[in-house]
C-alpha cells in the first residue's frame, strides 16, 4: 500500500494552526459578551494574535475592556499557544493522517529548534504534566495573596489567570499597571518569577532534568541552557539594580529591600515574561537598551519563551571565543558542537536580528515616538515578551499590523517561518572549497 505524502511541511501546518486560532480568537473577542464596550476589529485581532503567540502586548486594557468571558477566551488562547509549539503540532500531524515516524520526528525536532527529540510522544506527555502541575501550584500560591484582596470569586480567577499567563510567559495582566501594586510583596516576587523561569527553560530541559538527576548525565543542550540562564541572571539583576537604584521613576523612591525585589523581578521578566512591577516607560534609556538585548536573547528552545534563544546566544559566544583562540572546533562541557548546529545557530541569529532591524527601521519611518521606545517595543514583539513603553497603543494601523506580524513570526520561529515557504533540499553537487578573508 502506497503512503500518501503530506502536502505540507510541519512548519507550514504550524503556521496554519496558529493563524486559524488567531482568527477564531478574533471572532470570539468581537462578540458583544466578550467586551464591556465595543472594540474595533483591529483591536480584537491584535489581542487574539498577542494571546495565541503568548506575547502580552495590547492595544486596550485587558482587565477593563474584556468581560469574564473575554478573559476566558484570552486565557484559552494563551494555553493553546503555550502548549502548541510541540504538543498540538504532533496532534495535528496525526489528525491529518501524517505518519509521525522516526524521520518525521527528526525533521519536526529540527524545525522546532529541538536538539533532543528522543521519544517525541513521551516529551508531549511530559509537557502536559509539567505545565498543568506548575499552573495548579502557581494558582494555589497566588490565591493566598489575591483572595484576601478581591474575595473568593475574583481572587481565585485572578490567581488562575496570572498562573496560566505566567507559566506560558504570556505577560497578560488583568490589573492596571500589571503587577505594580505588588512590587513589595514577597510572595508575588518569588512565585511569579519561579513560574516564568520554569516555563522559559524549555520542555526538553525539564524532560532531561526529570530523567537524569546528576549533572554529568545531562545532555549538552540542558547544560548550555542552565549555564546560560544562570549567567544571564547573574549579569542582568545586578546591572538593573545599579542602573535604576537612584531613578525616582522606578526604584529610586522605594526602600532598599523593595528595590532588591523590584530589580530582581524586572531583570528576570525581561527575557520573555512581560510582567512589570515598576513603570516600564520610566526606565532609563541605558536600562531599556540592555533590556532590548535581553529580550532578543530570550529563553529556551521548545519553551514558552521567545527570542533567538539562550543556547543560540551561548553557542555564538563559544564560536567567537574559539575563533579568537585560533581553534577550528567549538567545544563545551567536553563535547564538540557539529558544523550543522553552528550553521543553524548562525542562521537563527541572523534572521532574528535582521527581522528586528528591518521592523524597527520601518517603525522609525512611519511612527512618531522616541527611538528607544520604538526599539523597545519592536524587540518585545519579535521576542514575544510583552513589555512596552506605551508605543503600541499609540501606533497607527500600519504600525499595529506590523507588530502583529512580528509577534506571529516571533512565536512560530523565524526559521520555521522560512521552512514553511520552501522545503529544504540537499544539493546533488558539491563545489570545491574557497578562501574568504574576514576582518
Amino acid at each position: 500500500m502506497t503512503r500518501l505524502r503530506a502536502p505540507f511541511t510541519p512548519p507550514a501546518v504550524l503556521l496554519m494552526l496558529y493563524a486559524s486560532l488567531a482568527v477564531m480568537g478574533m471572532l470570539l473577542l468581537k462578540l458583544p459578551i466578550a467586551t464591556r464596550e465595543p472594540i474595533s476589529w483591529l483591536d480584537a485581532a491584535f489581542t487574539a494574535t498577542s494571546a495565541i503567540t503568548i506575547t502580552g502586548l495590547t492595544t486596550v486594557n485587558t482587565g477593563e475592556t474584556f468581560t469574564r468571558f473575554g478573559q476566558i477566551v484570552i486565557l484559552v488562547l494563551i494555553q493553546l499557544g503555550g502548549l502548541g509549539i510541540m504538543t498540538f503540532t504532533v496532534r495535528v500531524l496525526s489528525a491529518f493522517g501524517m505518519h509521525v515516524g522516526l524521520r518525521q520526528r527528526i525533521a519536526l525536532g529540527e524545525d522546532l529548534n529541538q536538539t533532543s527529540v528522543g521519544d517525541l510522544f513521551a516529551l508531549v506527555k511530559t509537557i502536559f504534566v509539567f505545565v498543568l502541575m506548575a499552573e495548579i501550584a502557581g494558582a494555589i500560591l497566588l490565591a493566598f495573596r489575591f483572595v484576601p484582596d478581591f474575595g473568593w470569586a475574583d481572587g481565585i480567577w485572578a490567581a488562575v489567570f496570572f498562573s496560566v499567563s505566567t507559566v506560558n510567559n504570556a505577560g497578560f495582566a488583568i490589573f492596571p499597571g500589571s503587577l505594580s501594586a505588588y512590587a513589595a510583596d514577597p510572595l508575588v516576587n518569588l512565585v511569579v518569577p519561579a513560574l516564568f523561569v520554569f516555563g522559559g527553560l524549555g520542555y526538553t530541559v525539564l524532560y532531561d532534568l526529570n530523567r537524569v538527576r546528576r549533572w554529568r548525565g545531562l545532555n549538552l543542550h540542558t547544560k548550555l541552557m542552565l549555564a546560560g540562564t544562570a549567567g544571564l541572571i547573574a549579569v542582568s539583576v545586578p546591572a538593573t539594580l545599579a542602573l535604576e537604584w537612584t531613578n525616582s521613576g522606578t526604584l529610586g523612591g522605594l526602600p532598599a529591600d523593595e528595590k532588591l525585589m523590584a530589580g530582581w523581578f524586572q531583570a528576570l521578566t525581561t527575557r520573555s515574561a512581560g510582567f512589570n512591577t515598576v513603570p516600564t516607560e520610566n526606565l532609563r534609556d541605558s536600562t531599556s537598551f540592555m533590556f532590548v538585548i535581553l529580550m532578543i536573547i530570550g529563553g529556551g528552545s521548545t519553551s514558552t519563551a521567545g527570542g533567538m534563544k539562550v543556547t543560540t546566544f551561548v553557542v555564538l559566544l563559544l564560536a567567537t571565543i574559539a575563533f579568537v583562540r585560533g581553534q577550528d572546533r567549538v567545544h563545551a562541557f567536553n563535547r564538540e558542537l557539529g558544523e550543522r548546529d553552528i550553521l543553524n545557530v548562525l542562521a537563527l541569529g541572523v534572521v532574528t536580528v535582521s527581522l528586528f532591524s528591518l521592523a524597527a527601521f520601518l517603525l522609525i519611518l512611519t511612527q512618531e515616538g522616541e527611538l528607544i521606545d520604538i526599539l523597545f517595543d519592536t524587540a518585545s514583539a519579535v521576542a514575544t515578551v510583552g513589555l512596552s513603553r506605551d508605543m503600541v497603543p499609540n501606533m497607527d494601523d500600519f504600525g499595529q499590523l506590523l507588530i502583529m506580524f512580528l509577534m506571529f513570526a516571533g512565536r512560530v520561529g523565524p526559521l520555521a517561518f522560512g521552512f514553511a515557504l520552501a522545503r529544504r533540499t540537499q544539493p546533488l553537487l558539491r563545489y570545491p572549497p574557497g578562501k574568504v578573508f574576514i576582518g
Side-chain angles (χ1 to χ4, degrees), residues 58-102:
T58 57
T59 55
V60 295
N61 186 291
T62 304
E64 296 177 355
T65 302
F66 295 100
T67 63
R68 184 64 55 84
F69 174 81
Q71 294 174 16
I72 291 174
V73 171
I74 292 172
L75 202 64
V76 171
L77 290 173
I78 290 172
Q79 188 73 87
L80 292 174
L83 290 173
I85 199 72
M86 288 296 295
T87 58
F88 291 106
T89 300
V90 176
R91 299 300 184 188
V92 168
L93 290 178
S94 301
F96 284 178
M98 302 181 190
H99 176 63
V100 189
L102 179 59

Side-chain angles (χ1 to χ4, degrees), residues 5 11 13 31 33 43 45 57 74 83 97 127 150 155 159 177 199 209 246 291 307 326 334 359 386 403:
R5 177 174 291 183
V13 174
L31 295 175
I33 59 172
D43 287 335
L57 289 173
I74 292 172
L83 290 173
I127 292 174
F150 303 101
L209 290 173
T246 58
F291 283 1
N334 298 320
I403 293 294

